[in-house]
Amino acid sequence: MKKINKTLLSNVTILYVEDEKMISEEVSFFFKKYVKKFYIANNGEEGLELFKEVKPDILITDIQMPKMNGLEMIKEIGHTSVPIIITTAYSDIDYFLKAIELKISKFVIKPINLVNLISNVQDCIVESYLQDKLYEKDNLLKIVDENVLLSITDKNGIIIDVSSAFCEFTQFSKDELIGESHRIIKHEDNSNSFYENMWKEISSGKRFKTEIKNRKKDGTIYYANLTITPVFKDDEIINYTAIRNDITNKKRLEQLIIEDDLTRLYNRRHFNTILNKEIRRAKRDKAIITLVSLDIDHFKKYNDTYGHPKGDDVLIKIGKVLLEHTSRSSDYAFRIGGEEFCLIFSGSQVQESLFHVQEIVNAVENLEIEHKNSRNSKFVTISAGLIVQKADEIVDEDTLYKYSDIALYQAKVKGRNQVILSESSTKS
């Protein structure tokens, strides 16, 4: 747990907008132990007026409120350098999308953990312009050490110093980090080309900014906004300073918006977004795109025979098969709803796509999940329909989906447990 920095908090002005009186009183009671100027508004309209009046350093707001909700208030405020923290519940999924567009600094999930909330406030202070006006050099260095995820390397990328906050966050001690490179926290998803590009930028003297995925000492994955700045002496780079902002919770919230809860595949909402994006990319690059519709054969009979919990297990296992067969960066797997799934491939020719989907159909049957009331196998199987088209053949996403769905229907009519290529697929 991050230590509460009373000195840091004492000179800050905070505006808190929340319509539920019990919650606002609880948060206010806690914060006023550390914050001298803590103001409360009961809705967006009051919040907007107080924002103009008190000119807060930090704005904390709920989303759903009467008169004017939190997002409407933020839009009315317009462009601001004031960090904004949103408090909300999981049920506010539609609002999350809008909040992300508004570049919100932090998300805090209700019920509010007060210690986590005050920790987020401290992060915002340190990351913002406030650090320049609140403290002199000695105090600032102490604040940075305790609150900023900071590491310094020599010009070869070997760590020569780290902040206490970075050690606490990554679970490594200073002794374990100093003398090592950042490979010690590297996640395997980060490609060699990513690091080649990073070194190309920073070795030329440029600042490098990116979003990165790494691992803590215990293997826990975290996400951060990373900024690497070259440090010069006599016009030569002597070391690099890396500062990170933990965005793990924000990434998890984004995943909630686009993921199916059960299978962890992408959901229908994200399917619509990605299909549109991939079609536009295919047209721009004059590429080829494959869309696959899949359906579990006689799934209703399976649920009637074995029960819905077993049916959920089947969906999860099939989801894993689909993930294993969509490992390229241009591959996507979705659960559209119920027992229906979709896949998107880019750059695969007709025969290559057909062979790949047939492999998936075979892999599902090879799971050997008993289905004694199936008409086409003693195991659970799937049927698939696919459409493969070049950029200039694509009409729109609805037409592409219709073609794959018709092919899926034909696969079912012809006996299930097979894949059918749409007649509208490219012929060359």
Side-chain angles (χ1 to χ4, degrees):
M1 182 181 71
K2 185 180 289 186
K3 186 169 66 175
I4 295 175
N5 192 319
K6 296 180 181 178
T7 308
L8 183 70
L9 295 167
S10 62
N11 294 310
V12 176
T13 300
I14 296 177
L15 172 59
Y16 179 46
V17 188
E18 169 62 64
D19 64 312
E20 294 188 39
K21 189 175 181 182
M22 187 177 297
I23 296 175
S24 65
E25 287 179 349
E26 181 184 8
V27 172
S28 173
F29 178 79
F30 181 76
F31 267 80
K32 284 183 177 179
K33 296 176 186 177
Y34 312 104
V35 180
K36 295 175 184 176
K37 297 178 181 179
F38 190 87
Y39 297 88
I40 297 174
N42 297 316
N43 56 61
E45 287 184 356
E46 289 184 15
L48 186 60
E49 290 303 313
L50 265 178
F51 185 89
K52 296 173 183 176
E53 181 182 332
V54 305
K55 296 179 174 56
D57 299 310
I58 304 284
L59 171 62
I60 306 171
T61 181
D62 187 22
I63 291 182
Q64 295 186 6
M65 293 181 292
K67 295 186 179 180
M68 178 186 288
N69 68 40
L71 298 183
E72 291 169 341
M73 177 187 69
I74 294 166
K75 283 184 180 178
E76 285 292 320
I77 289 170
H79 178 71
T80 178
S81 60
V82 175
I84 300 171
I85 299 174
I86 282 213
T87 63
T88 189
Y90 281 120
S91 60
D92 295 329
I93 291 298
D94 288 332
Y95 288 112
F96 280 138
L97 288 169
K98 297 175 185 175
I100 290 168
E101 290 175 3
L102 291 170
K103 311 290 186 186
I104 301 306
S105 302
K106 303 278 185 181
F107 291 93
V108 175
I109 300 300
K110 291 182 175 181
I112 296 172
N113 181 312
L114 294 171
V115 174
N116 285 347
L117 179 57
I118 210 164
S119 175
N120 281 322
V121 168
Q122 291 181 170
D123 288 345
C124 287
I125 297 168
V126 174
E127 292 158 13
S128 76
Y129 67 94
L130 296 176
Q131 57 185 341
D132 293 329
K133 74 175 187 179
L134 289 178
Y135 296 99
E136 299 298 328
K137 184 177 178 181
D138 289 344
N139 279 338
L140 179 58
L141 289 174
K142 184 179 179 183
I143 291 167
V144 167
D145 182 60
E146 292 177 353
N147 294 278
V148 177
L149 305 179
L150 170 74
S151 62
I152 302 172
T153 71
D154 64 18
K155 62 182 181 181
N156 297 312
I158 302 301
I159 299 170
I160 57 176
D161 199 6
V162 289
S163 66
S164 299
F166 185 66
C167 292
E168 183 180 353
F169 181 75
T170 61
Q171 302 168 353
F172 287 99
S173 67
K174 273 198 176 187
D175 290 339
E176 289 173 314
L177 290 170
I178 292 175
E180 298 287 338
S181 72
H182 283 99
R183 290 190 188 93
I184 196 169
I185 57 172
K186 177 185 174 184
H187 191 279
E188 56 275 13
D189 285 355
N190 299 329
S191 65
N192 290 334
S193 60
F194 168 85
Y195 292 103
E196 288 168 5
N197 180 55
M198 178 193 78
W199 275 106
K200 182 181 178 181
E201 289 288 306
I202 62 176
S203 61
S204 67
K206 297 177 183 176
R207 180 178 292 180
F208 181 76
K209 290 187 175 185
T210 190
E211 184 179 291
I212 195 164
K213 181 181 182 181
N214 278 329
R215 288 190 184 276
K216 298 183 181 182
K217 185 177 181 179
D218 66 359
T220 303
I221 295 171
Y222 70 89
Y223 296 86
N225 283 330
L226 170 68
T227 302
I228 303 176
T229 306
V231 178
F232 292 86
K233 185 176 182 180
D234 298 328
D235 295 327
E236 287 190 12
I237 296 173
I238 56 171
N239 55 47
Y240 299 101
T241 300
I243 295 177
R244 301 153 191 85
N245 173 27
D246 178 28
I247 57 169
T248 306
N249 287 339
K250 181 180 178 182
K251 293 293 290 184
R252 286 174 180 163
L253 289 171
E254 290 173 355
Q255 286 301 110
L256 282 173
I257 294 168
I258 65 176
E259 270 189 1
D260 172 60
D261 289 341
L262 183 64
T263 62
R264 296 303 174 193
L265 300 178
Y266 291 126
N267 59 22
R268 179 61 185 257
R269 179 201 296 269
H270 201 49
F271 170 74
N272 296 333
T273 301
I274 293 298
L275 182 58
N276 179 273
K277 185 187 82 171
E278 287 300 297
I279 288 174
R280 283 188 282 109
R281 185 164 71 90
K283 287 181 177 291
R284 183 184 68 242
D285 300 340
K286 296 181 180 178
I288 194 166
I289 191 169
T290 300
L291 175 62
V292 187
S293 292
L294 307 102
D295 201 271
I296 304 174
D297 298 326
H298 305 298
F299 191 60
K300 183 178 185 304
K301 286 185 179 180
Y302 185 91
N303 278 334
D304 291 343
T305 305
Y306 299 94
H308 286 277
K310 286 287 186 182
D312 286 348
D313 289 341
V314 169
L315 292 168
I316 292 168
K317 288 174 181 176
I318 290 177
K320 287 179 180 177
V321 170
L322 299 182
L323 282 175
E324 288 167 2
H325 287 80
T326 51
S327 55
R328 300 181 308 173
S329 60
S330 58
D331 296 344
Y332 297 90
F334 308 86
R335 183 184 176 203
I336 301 301
E339 66 270 31
E340 184 184 354
F341 302 86
C342 276
L343 308 175
I344 297 175
F345 310 135
S346 293
S348 298
Q349 298 299 320
V350 173
Q351 289 305 313
E352 184 185 355
S353 292
L354 195 57
F355 179 77
H356 188 52
V357 178
Q358 185 61 58
E359 280 187 327
I360 294 172
V361 172
N362 294 341
V364 170
E365 187 171 22
N366 290 339
L367 292 173
E368 296 187 351
I369 304 168
E370 181 188 78
H371 191 350
K372 60 187 178 184
N373 284 327
S374 174
R375 295 175 185 173
N376 49 280
S377 173
K378 59 182 179 180
F379 302 123
V380 168
T381 60
I382 62 171
S383 298
L386 77 154
I387 174 72
V388 184
Q389 287 192 327
K390 294 178 181 177
D392 58 2
E393 298 171 324
I394 301 168
V395 178
D396 54 36
E397 54 261 46
D398 291 337
T399 305
L400 202 67
Y401 179 70
K402 181 181 74 174
Y403 288 150
S404 70
D405 198 48
I406 290 171
L408 170 61
Y409 174 76
Q410 291 170 345
K412 291 180 181 180
V413 170
K414 292 181 179 182
R416 293 181 166 85
N417 192 25
Q418 59 185 285
V419 54
I420 293 292
L421 177 67
S422 169
E423 295 175 355
S424 300
S425 293
T426 187
K427 300 298 185 294
S428 57

